[in-house]
Amino acid sequence: MKEKLKNQHGRSMIEMLGVLAIVGTLSMGGIAGFSTAMTRYKTIREMEKYNLFLQGIMEHKSLVLKSGDSMGTTKWEFFTKSVEKLGILPTGWKVSGSVIKDTFGHRFNLYTSINSTNKGIVMGLYLNSQKTEKANTLFCTQMWRDFILPNQEWIGNTWINGSGGKSGMYYGTHTCSKNKQCLSNVTIADIQKFCASCAEETLCNIIVTFN
């Protein structure tokens, strides 16, 4: 009888350890899943800031274009200072010289060509800026879904700087024509290809021109 109880007790301990191992594994999976969900949620909220920011820029477009600063260059005119003065920078965004940093620390420039006759506002967004930094494909994907595609009425074109052969160039509603890749026809596969080509680059800079 005692021997039987010992065996039962031993099996219970093993079973308990097994249960604890399973619970631990599920907990780790739950934490990882929660972390991913939170990152996605924060990214979506950041896209809301980008959309509000763009609305502010387009609302004051003529004023922004008139108040550009060459910042010592002979090729580009930057609008960093003008949008800061307008007070349209979202909460958590900061200005450093010609660069604007979003909440996640992604840097972008707002500029136009000094010699351009058709003035548009260009956003050059860096998803990575050094060899050891990997491009954030989740941010890239959400940028497409929640910022680029919803604003295609204002977009002239968009591409990845220095790798147009990989990602291709996409055109907005008013600039797309036959034999061009239109934003209105973009698929999930296109977005994945675009962001994957960005992740392969040492320096990934998504360019979006707003007309």
Side-chain angles (χ1 to χ4, degrees), residues 170-183:
Y170 295 85
Y171 295 84
T173 304
H174 302 294
T175 54
C176 198
S177 58
K178 188 177 181 181
N179 299 324
K180 290 184 178 179
Q181 297 186 99
C182 301
L183 287 173

Side-chain angles (χ1 to χ4, degrees), residues 16 24 66 79 123 133 164 187 203:
M16 183 60 71
K66 289 178 182 178
F79 306 118
M123 174 184 282
E133 183 181 6
T187 65
L203 177 64

Side-chain angles (χ1 to χ4, degrees), residues 4-183:
K4 184 177 180 180
L5 288 174
K6 285 181 180 179
N7 289 338
Q8 288 179 344
H9 181 70
R11 286 196 298 270
S12 297
M13 287 297 293
I14 293 173
E15 290 169 359
M16 183 60 71
L17 290 172
V19 170
L20 289 173
I22 293 171
V23 170
T25 302
L26 292 174
S27 296
M28 290 299 292
I31 292 171
F34 177 76
S35 177
T36 300
M38 282 302 297
T39 300
R40 187 177 297 277
Y41 170 75
K42 290 178 180 179
T43 303
I44 292 173
R45 290 296 301 272
E46 194 70 5
M47 291 303 105
E48 293 175 3
K49 292 184 179 182
Y50 271 91
N51 281 300
L52 288 173
F53 180 60
L54 178 59
Q55 288 175 23
I57 289 175
M58 300 308 289
E59 182 180 345
H60 302 93
K61 182 182 176 183
S62 59
L63 183 60
V64 171
L65 286 171
K66 289 178 182 178
S67 58
D69 187 341
S70 66
M71 294 188 177
T73 73
T74 57
K75 189 175 182 180
W76 308 112
E77 195 171 36
F78 296 93
F79 306 118
T80 314
K81 292 180 179 178
S82 56
V83 296
E84 185 178 26
K85 289 178 180 178
L86 284 170
I88 60 176
L89 285 179
T91 303
W93 288 21
K94 299 178 180 179
V95 168
S96 177
S98 66
V99 174
I100 298 173
K101 291 184 179 180
D102 67 15
T103 311
F104 288 126
H106 293 123
R107 303 178 301 114
F108 67 89
N109 299 109
L110 287 177
Y111 60 94
T112 193
S113 172
I114 290 178
N115 300 319
S116 176
T117 54
N118 183 21
K119 294 286 186 179
I121 297 176
V122 183
M123 174 184 282
L125 174 69
Y126 294 89
L127 289 189
N128 65 341
S129 56
Q130 51 188 338
K131 293 181 179 180
T132 57
E133 183 181 6
K134 188 176 181 180
N136 188 329
T137 52
L138 171 60
F139 190 89
C140 176
T141 301
Q142 293 301 143
M143 174 66 68
W144 265 89
R145 291 182 174 181
D146 299 334
F147 180 68
I148 293 176
L149 292 182
N151 294 305
Q152 56 188 280
E153 289 281 334
W154 284 335
I155 292 176
N157 51 41
T158 182
W159 74 98
I160 290 179
N161 189 27
S163 62
K166 290 183 179 179
S167 69
M169 184 177 289
Y170 295 85
Y171 295 84
T173 304
H174 302 294
T175 54
C176 198
S177 58
K178 188 177 181 181
N179 299 324
K180 290 184 178 179
Q181 297 186 99
C182 301
L183 287 173

